[in-house]
Amino acid sequence: MTDALRPRLWPADLPARALAICSVAQLALLLIHNLGSDAAGHPLQVSPVNALMLQAPMYAVGLLVPASLWSAACWLFPRLRRGWNAIGTLVAFLLMFVAVLDLGMQRFRGERIALNHFATYGTGGVMNSDWVRPVLNAAAPTTMTFAVLLVACAMLVLSHRSLASDTGNPRRATATFALLALACWIPPRFAYYHQRDMARPPQAVLLGDVIRRPWRPPSGDESDVRTALRTLLDPDATTQWLSDSFPVFHAAPLATSPGFGVAQQDPPDIVIFSIESLRGRDVGWGFGDRRGADSPTPHLDSLAAQSVTFPRYISNGEPSPRGFITLHAGVWEHGNLFIVANRQAVALDAIPQGLRQAGYHTVALWGGNPSFDNQLTWARRWYDDVFFERRDNRVFYFRTTPDHELMDRAIARIDAHDRDRGRQPLFIYVASNGTHTPFDLEEGAAVPADVPPSTDPQRRYDLTLRNADAQIARVIARLRARARWRNTVVIVTGDHSDRTAETADQRWRGMPTDALVASSALVFGPEALVGRPRVLSFPASHVDLTSTIRAWFGDTTATPTMGRDLFDTSRVASRHAIAINSRGYRLDRGGYTLMVDSKDPRVFGAWRSFTGESPQLVPLNTTPFAANAPGQLHTVIQYWSALVDGNRVRPH
C-alpha cells in the first residue's frame, strides 16, 4: 500500500483505527450470536436482521462516544497523547472483551451482563462442568467468537506500534465522532423502548448500574416500608411471611376455595389464550355495554356463559413484556424497568415451571416475535416446547403469524400431544397478535374486510377482534371433541389492553388507565375447580392466576407470588389489583381507582373504577384510600423494584 493511498484506506489517527477495529469486531460478534441456535436447535433470535437494525446503531454509539472523548483528550492535552493512546487502546480491548462476556451471558445464562456478575462469577468456582460443558457444546460459535477477539486484539497491537506518531487531526476527529454518534443515536428512538433495552451495548448496561442510585427507604429504616408492602398485599394480615431478607416470600395460604387441591388426583389440561390488546370494554362478558349482536366476540361470549367471568380484571402492566411476566410469575412488574429485559437474573416462580414439576408437558406459542422484548429467554426456562418461527422470518422479520395460522399450530400441538403423550396432562399458552395496533385485518381472516379499509380505529379493532374470536373458537371446538374436555380449563384474557377512539385525558395520558390495562378474563373449567358459571366483579389481575392454579393443586410450598386465588371469596372487601407502567401506578380497591404519577407521588387522582378515560375525580376521604395512600403506593412500588434489583424476591 502506497503512502498516498494509506490515509484513505486506513485511518491516520489511532483513535479512528481502534474504533474501526472494534466496530468490525463487534458486528462480527453480533452476527455470530444472532445467527446462532440454542441447544435444541431453535434460533437465538427470531429475526437477526431486525435485531441488528437496532443493535448496530446502538453499539456504534457505545464506541463513538468514548472515541470522541479519546480524541478530545488528545486534542486538549497533546503532550499526553502517548498516554491517551495507550489508555484508549486498552479501553478498546476492554469494550470488545465485555461484548464477548455479555453475548456469552445471553447465550448460556439468558441474562445481560451486570456489575454483580463480576463478584458472583469472577471466581475459580466458575470453572466447573456446569459452566464449561455448554461452552464446549457450542464449539462452533465459541471458536468463531474467540477467533474474532484474537484477530481484533492482534490488529489493535499492530495499530499501537507508534503511540505518538499518528498524523490525524484530533479536533476534526472529535467533531466527526460526536456527529456520527448523534446520527446513530436518533434511529433507535423510533423503536419501542423495551426493544431498545435489549439492544443496548454492554457498556451502557454497566454504566446504568454504576450511575443508578440504589433506592433507600424515606425514613432510612426498611422495616416501615416492608410492613407497608405486606399490608398492601394482605390487609387482613393472614399471610405467614417467612423472611425479612425476602419480604414477599411467604407460606402457602390455607385452603379457602372449593377447588383447593382438587386437581391433585386428576390434573386438568389447561389452556391460556393471551389475546393481544384485549379490551375488556369491548367483549361481551366485560365491563362495557357490548352485549348480543353488538359484541365482537360471539363465540367467546358463548363460552363465557358457561364460565366464571371477571369483568374488572386488569393486566398488571403494559406493554406486552409486563403482561407476560406478571401473568406467568404472579408478581408485579418493576416500577421503572422491565423484568424480562433488564432483570433476567431475578429468581421467580412461574405457572409453567410449577406445572412441569407436577408432571405436565408445557407448550408456548406466539403470533408475534418473542425475541423483541426477551420473552423467549424466560419461556425457554419454563416451557418444554416453544413455537414462534416462520420460515420467511428466519433472517428478517417480515410478518407476524396471523391468528388463523397460530390457531392451526395450536390445534396441531394438541393433536401431537394426544398422539405422543396421551396420558400426560397438557399446559398450553397461546399468545395471539392479530389484534395488535394499528388493527389491520389479516389476510385469510374469518370475517370480511371493509372496502375501502375503515379509518376508524374502533371499527378496525372490532374487525380484528371478531377474527380472533372466530379463530380461537376453532381451538375450543377441537378441545370439545377430546375425551378430556370434561377435565379441561380454558382461560381467556389479554396481555394488556389498548386505546382505540377514546380521547385521552392529558392528566393521565400514558398511565395504566382502563384503555391500556383493563382486559377482563374468563375461566372455564370443571365445576369442582371453578364452581358454577357466575360473574365475580371484584378487582382482580394477572398475579391472581398463579395463586389460583397453585390452589387447584393444593400447592403448599412457599412462594413469592403476590396474588390471591380468584375463587377465594372469603375476603372480597380487601381484594385489590395493581397495574404499573413507566408513567404511573394504579391501585383498584372497593370500586375505586387510585392513580399516582411514577415520577411525583404528589400528582395523583382517585375516581370510581371503570368509568371511562376522562374520570370524575373524587376526594380521597370519600374512597377506601387513606390520605397517605398516594405516597405510600409510590414508596411501596419503588421498594418492590429495589427488591427485584437486588434479586430479593425469593431465596435462590
Side-chain angles (χ1 to χ4, degrees):
M1 184 183 298
T2 66
D3 290 340
L5 291 177
R6 190 183 306 276
R8 298 180 184 178
L9 301 180
W10 188 243
D13 61 313
L14 189 57
R17 278 180 278 178
L19 174 66
I21 294 169
C22 280
S23 298
V24 173
Q26 287 197 353
L27 183 60
L29 293 171
L30 288 171
L31 284 169
I32 293 169
H33 177 76
N34 289 333
L35 294 174
S37 300
D38 64 13
H42 296 295
L44 288 174
Q45 274 285 356
V46 174
S47 50
V49 173
N50 293 76
L52 285 169
M53 288 171 64
L54 268 180
Q55 290 170 334
M58 295 189 73
Y59 273 65
V61 172
L63 293 176
L64 287 163
V65 169
S68 179
L69 296 175
W70 182 1
S71 294
C74 293
W75 165 35
L76 296 173
F77 306 98
R79 293 185 179 181
L80 301 177
R81 189 164 187 170
R82 183 183 297 269
W84 293 128
N85 283 342
I87 293 171
T89 303
L90 177 62
V91 169
F93 166 77
L94 290 175
L95 290 178
M96 286 191 298
F97 183 70
V98 168
V100 170
L101 290 179
D102 182 54
L103 293 173
M105 289 293 294
Q106 291 186 59
R107 172 181 282 273
F108 299 116
R109 302 286 297 180
E111 305 173 21
R112 295 301 305 268
I113 196 168
L115 286 179
N116 63 348
H117 287 150
F118 292 96
T120 304
Y121 303 134
T123 65
V126 168
M127 299 305 294
N128 58 48
S129 60
D130 290 339
W131 281 84
V132 174
R133 186 180 296 114
V135 175
L136 295 179
N137 287 343
T142 299
T143 301
M144 289 188 290
T145 295
F146 279 103
V148 168
L149 186 61
L150 289 174
V151 170
C153 289
M155 293 183 69
L156 279 175
V157 171
L158 292 174
S159 297
H160 193 267
R161 285 181 301 178
S162 174
L163 292 175
S165 63
D166 50 50
T167 59
N169 184 328
R171 181 187 304 181
R172 182 184 303 166
T174 300
T176 301
F177 291 151
L179 289 173
L180 286 174
L182 178 62
C184 291
W185 178 83
I186 292 173
R189 299 302 100 190
F190 294 96
Y192 291 116
Y193 52 100
H194 52 281
Q195 295 173 10
R196 294 199 301 269
D197 281 350
M198 291 307 302
R200 288 186 301 162
Q203 56 266 37
V205 176
L206 293 173
L207 182 62
D209 283 351
V210 171
I211 64 177
R212 185 178 297 111
R213 295 181 179 179
W215 184 87
R216 294 285 184 267
S219 64
D221 185 357
E222 184 177 327
S223 61
D224 291 341
V225 68
R226 181 171 57 237
T227 298
L229 170 62
R230 290 172 171 176
T231 300
L232 178 58
L233 290 172
D234 180 21
D236 299 308
T238 62
T239 300
Q240 180 185 353
W241 305 105
L242 299 178
S243 170
D244 286 348
S245 297
F246 300 90
V248 300
F249 194 60
H250 59 86
L254 300 175
T256 52
S257 67
F260 189 89
V262 170
Q264 285 179 311
Q265 299 303 316
D266 188 11
D269 287 349
I270 303 174
V271 183
I272 295 181
F273 292 100
S274 177
I275 301 175
E276 171 66 41
S277 304
L278 183 65
R279 289 168 51 87
R281 184 179 302 281
D282 291 325
V283 298
W285 71 89
F287 61 90
D289 297 322
R290 306 198 66 174
R291 302 287 188 268
D294 186 47
S295 170
T297 54
H299 299 93
L300 289 175
D301 293 352
S302 177
L303 183 67
Q306 307 167 56
S307 309
V308 183
T309 58
F310 301 86
R312 297 192 168 199
Y313 178 106
I314 64 174
S315 166
N316 295 108
E318 60 83 36
S320 298
R322 293 191 171 102
F324 171 83
I325 201 72
T326 56
L327 184 153
H328 278 81
V331 296
W332 301 338
E333 175 58 291
H334 194 285
N336 310 104
L337 304 174
F338 291 88
I339 291 176
V340 292
N342 306 110
R343 293 294 178 262
Q344 300 99 315
V346 67
L348 301 171
D349 292 340
I351 292 171
Q353 190 176 44
L355 291 177
R356 286 175 75 180
Q357 295 170 357
Y360 275 70
H361 183 69
T362 57
V363 180
L365 303 99
W366 286 266
N369 184 341
S371 289
F372 278 162
D373 46 30
N374 211 41
Q375 293 181 36
L376 195 55
T377 293
W378 296 84
R380 282 175 168 145
R381 298 177 189 175
W382 295 335
Y383 284 94
D384 295 307
D385 295 315
V386 294
F387 298 93
F388 53 88
E389 301 107 324
R390 289 179 57 93
R391 290 183 179 179
D392 51 358
N393 288 341
R394 181 62 187 93
V395 175
F396 187 84
Y397 199 88
F398 286 98
R399 55 185 297 217
T400 59
T401 301
D403 284 351
H404 68 83
E405 186 175 326
L406 177 67
M407 300 311 161
D408 285 343
R409 288 186 176 190
I411 292 170
R413 299 322 309 163
I414 293 168
D415 290 344
H417 176 85
D418 291 348
R419 182 183 64 248
D420 302 331
R421 300 181 175 87
R423 295 187 177 182
Q424 186 178 14
L426 171 68
F427 172 69
I428 183 168
Y429 168 78
V430 185
S432 71
N433 193 74
T435 44
H436 198 289
T437 183
F439 315 132
D440 291 327
L441 192 63
E442 63 194 29
E443 294 182 10
V447 297
D450 287 338
V451 181
S454 174
T455 58
D456 177 10
Q458 183 64 54
R459 170 63 180 172
R460 294 166 65 90
Y461 178 80
D462 285 355
L463 288 175
T464 60
L465 185 56
R466 283 186 181 276
N467 177 58
D469 174 75
Q471 304 301 345
I472 292 173
R474 296 192 296 113
V475 185
I476 302 297
R478 177 65 189 90
L479 293 170
R480 286 184 184 275
R482 301 168 74 230
R484 289 183 58 81
W485 173 247
R486 292 184 179 275
N487 196 27
T488 296
V489 172
V490 177
I491 300 170
V492 180
T493 186
D495 59 343
H496 54 83
S497 188
D498 206 347
R499 189 180 307 282
T500 55
E502 300 99 332
T503 300
D505 189 325
Q506 294 303 312
R507 295 171 297 177
W508 320 112
R509 187 177 183 83
M511 297 190 188
T513 59
D514 294 347
L516 296 183
V517 298
S519 61
S520 76
L522 67 82
V523 182
F524 170 90
E527 187 173 324
L529 288 178
V530 306
R532 293 182 177 277
R534 62 199 184 281
V535 177
L536 296 178
S537 294
F538 50 70
S541 63
H542 280 345
V543 296
D544 298 317
L545 279 179
T546 308
S547 298
T548 302
I549 293 174
R550 284 173 55 91
W552 290 341
F553 288 87
D555 192 340
T556 58
T557 58
T559 180
T561 54
M562 305 169 88
R564 279 179 55 188
D565 180 356
L566 286 167
F567 302 102
D568 172 12
T569 56
S570 60
R571 294 170 287 132
V572 171
S574 63
R575 295 197 73 117
H576 68 274
I578 295 280
I580 293 169
N581 69 10
S582 58
R583 283 280 290 112
Y585 309 146
R586 167 178 175 157
L587 169 62
D588 283 22
R589 178 185 292 148
Y592 287 86
T593 293
L594 172 66
M595 192 75 73
V596 180
D597 189 287
S598 64
K599 302 297 189 294
D600 185 355
R602 295 170 298 180
V603 179
F604 66 87
W607 56 81
R608 286 197 171 274
S609 301
F610 302 94
T611 52
E613 291 302 287
S614 298
Q616 181 68 43
L617 299 185
V618 298
L620 278 182
N621 60 12
T622 65
T623 73
F625 309 120
N628 66 342
Q632 193 169 70
L633 176 64
H634 189 274
T635 299
V636 161
I637 291 176
Q638 293 300 310
Y639 176 54
W640 158 248
S641 302
L643 297 179
V644 174
D645 293 340
N647 203 355
R648 295 175 57 195
V649 179
R650 72 178 325 280
H652 44 87

